[in-house]
Amino acid sequence: HRGETLNAALYNLRNPGLTYFRDKRTDVEKTMEICMNALDFILREILNPDALFAADREKERTCRNCPFSYLCR
């Protein structure tokens, strides 16, 4: 796709829809700050030794197919 301009977007899970970066209505800095804060929260939770991950015994089938099952061991 040489010569074409790419337009990255974020998909909002709370209010389904795309936020395009090449849109004059989009505040890219604010959008990136929100995303980075959310990512920081998730990573801190995963890396927190006091918040142990545990397999959901009621959903063994789901856990069996989970690509992150190694975190529960």
Side-chain angles (χ1 to χ4, degrees):
H1 301 276
R2 293 179 189 225
E4 292 186 29
T5 302
L6 298 178
N7 190 5
L10 298 171
Y11 188 77
N12 187 335
L13 296 175
R14 183 173 292 164
N15 303 312
L18 293 172
T19 301
Y20 290 95
F21 283 95
R22 291 186 182 266
D23 184 344
K24 293 181 182 185
R25 296 173 292 168
T26 301
D27 182 349
V28 176
E29 294 298 321
K30 183 177 179 185
T31 302
M32 286 303 294
E33 181 181 350
I34 292 168
C35 292
M36 293 304 287
N37 286 339
L39 184 59
D40 181 59
F41 175 83
I42 292 167
L43 290 175
R44 284 180 188 272
E45 184 177 17
I46 289 171
L47 297 174
N48 181 354
D50 297 327
L52 299 177
F53 284 92
D56 186 346
R57 299 293 176 216
E58 295 178 15
K59 298 180 181 177
E60 288 185 27
R61 181 175 174 211
T62 303
C63 288
R64 183 173 54 239
N65 297 319
C66 177
F68 305 105
S69 62
Y70 61 89
L71 291 171
C72 297
R73 295 180 187 161

